[in-house]
């Protein structure tokens, strides 16, 4: 299972990268705005900084909603760095753009996916990644994990290469449950990755080992 971090915060990205378990980064316009990154040139420069920090894929989202605009933006983003994956919204023009990029060998991440039918369309259009939003479904009392399981079943039935990128991950149990279902990738905040480290018995056990070592080596 690949671990992506879902942020545009360079400190968080560097910390996850230093842990040695990071496979990539996902961003979106809201995450960019949260870091105060505005204006096309600054946004491109920020993507470049992210690519310099990590080894894996970096999803960069278009803001156009028409095919021509998505193609123009996506081509500019893809030309920026080989690690860039063009992130497209799951709307009709997004699916058309996904097929366009897929035919050209440019990698894509189809985002804002909330149903199995949408995920099927993204796979048919040749998406590299599909991003079902787990947490946002849970937020409206709908089982987000069930959607991940449905997509897994459909993709396995037909051998689609599209990787399931479980997005809108909020906490460690989402990560573990997605791993159990067989999601190819998860993207979440740094806390969802670091939270996996925690167990009180690890802390108690380590303290005891160190205490016993001290006693034995006095
Ligand atoms: O990047 C898309 C997705 O991960 C957003 O997550 O927490 O805003 O629902 P969230």
């Amino acid at each position: 299972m690949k671990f992506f971090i879902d942020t545009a915060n360079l400190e968080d990205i560097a910390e996850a990268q230093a842990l040695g378990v990071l496979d990539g980064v996902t961003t979106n316009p809201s995450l960019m705005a949260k870091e105060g990154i505005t204006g096309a040139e600054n946004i491109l420069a920020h993507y470049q900084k992210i690519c310099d920090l990590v080894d894996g894929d970096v999803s960069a989202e278009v803001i156009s909603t028409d095919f021509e605009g998505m193609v123009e933006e996506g081509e500019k983003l893809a030309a920026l760095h080989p690690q860039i994956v063009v992130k497209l919204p799951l709307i009709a023009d997004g699916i058309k753009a996904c097929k366009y990029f897929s035919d050209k060998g440019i990698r894509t991440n189809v985002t804002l996916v909330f149903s199995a039918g949408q995920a099927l369309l993204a796979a048919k259009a040749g998406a590299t990644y599909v991003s079902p939003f787990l947490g946002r479904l849970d937020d409206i009392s709908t089982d987000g994990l069930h959607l991940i399981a449905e997509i897994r079943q459909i993709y396995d039935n037909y051998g689609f290469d599209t990787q399931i990128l479980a997005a809108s991950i909020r906490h460690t149990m989402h990560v573990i449950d997605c791993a159990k279902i067989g999601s190819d990738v998860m993207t979440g905040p740094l806390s969802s990755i670091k939270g996996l480290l925690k167990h009180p018995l690890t802390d108690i056990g380590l303290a005891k080992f160190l205490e016993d070592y001290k006693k034995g080596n006095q």
Side-chain angles (χ1 to χ4, degrees):
M1 187 194 206
K2 291 185 200 167
F3 275 20
F4 288 179
I5 189 167
D6 195 29
T7 185
N9 182 283
L10 298 179
E11 286 76 31
D12 282 4
I13 294 169
E15 190 174 340
Q17 174 70 18
L19 197 56
V21 298
L22 192 67
D23 301 297
V25 179
T26 52
T27 60
N28 62 41
S30 305
L31 293 170
M32 280 288 186
K34 192 175 163 196
E35 299 306 318
I37 314 297
T38 54
E41 290 312 310
N42 290 335
I43 289 171
L44 286 178
H46 201 72
Y47 282 134
Q48 181 66 54
K49 283 183 197 163
I50 294 174
C51 290
D52 290 343
L53 271 180
V54 301
D55 303 318
D57 291 348
V58 175
S59 285
E61 188 159 343
V62 301
I63 49 153
S64 300
T65 54
D66 63 300
F67 174 76
E68 289 76 17
M70 287 183 196
V71 165
E72 191 184 332
E73 262 191 82
E75 284 183 337
K76 203 179 272 182
L77 288 167
L80 186 68
H81 199 284
Q83 285 168 243
I84 293 281
V85 175
V86 179
K87 201 172 177 190
L88 303 158
L90 192 300
I91 55 176
D93 282 45
I95 290 296
K96 284 185 210 165
C98 178
K99 175 78 174 107
Y100 171 87
F101 286 122
S102 161
D103 287 347
K104 286 191 83 177
I106 292 174
R107 292 171 310 140
T108 54
N109 174 357
V110 176
T111 190
L112 290 165
V113 169
F114 294 94
S115 78
Q118 291 179 321
L120 183 53
L121 274 177
K124 294 273 302 167
T128 312
Y129 296 105
V130 66
S131 289
F133 278 27
L134 181 47
R136 289 193 195 183
L137 281 171
D138 287 358
D139 287 346
I140 57 159
S141 312
T142 302
D143 188 356
L145 284 171
H146 178 67
L147 173 60
I148 309 284
E150 279 187 313
I151 301 171
R152 179 74 285 153
Q153 185 188 346
I154 291 168
Y155 284 10
D156 288 352
N157 282 349
Y158 297 99
F160 283 119
D161 289 336
T162 302
Q163 295 177 55
I164 303 172
L165 196 172
S168 188
I169 292 270
R170 301 282 167 75
H171 49 70
T172 56
M173 278 315 293
H174 274 160
V175 179
I176 293 161
D177 286 333
C178 283
K180 281 155 81 175
I181 289 170
S183 187
D184 300 290
V185 191
M186 80 85 196
T187 191
L190 182 61
S191 59
S192 68
I193 299 174
K194 284 173 70 181
L196 297 170
L197 286 166
K198 290 180 193 159
H199 200 289
L201 289 179
T202 303
D203 300 337
I204 292 166
L206 181 60
K208 179 84 173 99
F209 285 157
L210 295 179
E211 189 189 313
D212 290 345
Y213 173 84
K214 232 188 231 171
K215 277 186 208 155
N217 288 276
Q218 269 171 357

